[in-house]
Amino acid sequence: MTIFQLKLLAAAFMLIDHIGMYFDGTPILLRLIGRLAFPLFLFCMTQGYRYTRSRKKYLLRLYAMNLVMVSIMYLCGADYGYHDIFITLFWVGIFISIVELFQRDIRLGCAAFGAIAVSQPVFHLLIRSIPALNSLSGDILYGIFPNPLHCEFGIAYVVLGVAMYFFWQDPARFFASFLLLALIEFCNSDPQCLIALALPLLLRYHGEKGPGLKYFFYLFYPAHTLLLFWLSVHF
């Protein structure tokens, strides 16, 4: 399978998931099928990050789309739900780069990691010092001031994304890291354990990109959630 085909499948699974989310009375199966979406998008992001011409622009694009989602969540209110995979993918890219920096120069890697660690209490103090920010929800604040511990699906999926990047040509480690997280989710009785069902699809990837249309997938995410939200409110 190509990256394009994996993204199409991920978009389809995500659409099914969000139909189940927004419309009462739909079968729980829709939400379960939706568990396959994010691991596919996560893998596609790691491959895109590997081959992009500019990682800086790639990260800025992810952060910008995150701000789009934050704005939509703010304007639509709590009933819209929390949709912001972009910030999770952003952190995956950040930590991939830090690990690679460690591999080249340990001191620079430590400095980069330290900068991330120091930025979090600085952001916290900034938020507390600006009254207008105190009224915003955590979801909104952590979109504006990113925190790897507070992103959609959590830090475990950031770690999984980094593992996907470094182990994709080592099937045994790739398989093990993926199943380990699925097992943890299973032990927590979390339906996210169904991410394991995405493995057969990922293992069919043969290294080709396929057609482009990258901006379609960026736009599809906010567009379909807004449409489903509007339909759920008015019908």
Side-chain angles (χ1 to χ4, degrees), residues 4-213:
F4 178 72
Q5 289 171 326
L6 289 173
K7 284 183 178 180
L8 282 179
L9 284 173
F13 291 142
M14 181 170 60
L15 176 61
I16 290 169
D17 179 42
H18 290 152
I19 290 173
M21 170 186 170
Y22 279 113
F23 297 97
D24 295 333
T26 52
I28 189 63
L29 179 62
L30 299 186
R31 302 305 313 277
L32 299 180
I33 291 173
R35 299 312 92 206
L36 279 70
F38 187 64
L40 295 180
F41 276 128
L42 189 59
F43 178 77
C44 292
M45 176 270 161
T46 63
Q47 293 302 300
Y49 199 66
R50 184 185 308 278
Y51 297 113
T52 184
R53 296 177 182 176
S54 172
R55 288 188 168 184
K56 180 179 179 180
K57 290 181 179 178
Y58 197 106
L59 290 173
L60 287 174
R61 190 160 56 242
L62 288 174
Y63 181 71
M65 288 305 302
N66 148 72
L67 292 181
V68 170
M69 299 309 299
V70 165
S71 300
I72 293 172
M73 287 188 286
Y74 177 76
L75 294 172
C76 292
D79 289 340
Y80 174 71
Y82 180 52
H83 301 290
D84 196 0
I85 63 171
F86 293 114
I87 203 62
T88 309
L89 301 180
F90 170 85
W91 279 116
V92 171
I94 291 291
F95 282 109
I96 286 172
S97 292
I98 290 178
V99 171
E100 290 181 332
L101 195 56
F102 265 110
Q103 293 173 335
R104 295 193 300 270
D105 188 318
I106 293 177
R107 290 175 298 178
L108 288 178
C110 289
F113 186 80
I116 296 295
V118 169
S119 70
Q120 299 309 311
V122 170
F123 286 160
H124 183 69
L125 289 174
L126 179 63
I127 291 169
R128 292 186 62 184
S129 66
I130 302 177
L133 295 178
N134 293 323
S135 62
L136 299 177
S137 69
D139 293 339
I140 302 297
L141 288 173
Y142 290 126
I144 301 172
F145 305 102
N147 185 317
L149 300 179
H150 299 276
C151 56
E152 188 163 11
F153 296 102
I155 187 65
Y157 285 83
V158 175
V159 174
L160 177 62
V162 175
M164 283 180 168
Y165 178 86
F166 287 101
F167 296 154
W168 82 286
Q169 289 184 316
D170 186 339
R173 291 184 178 181
F174 186 94
F175 196 81
S177 59
F178 206 95
L179 287 187
L180 176 61
L181 181 54
L183 179 61
I184 292 172
E185 300 284 28
F186 177 78
C187 292
N188 292 331
S189 300
D190 193 319
Q192 278 295 123
C193 66
L194 294 176
I195 62 171
L197 298 179
L199 259 178
L201 297 172
L202 295 177
L203 295 176
R204 293 191 63 191
Y205 171 61
H206 48 61
E208 295 185 10
K209 178 182 178 181
L213 297 181

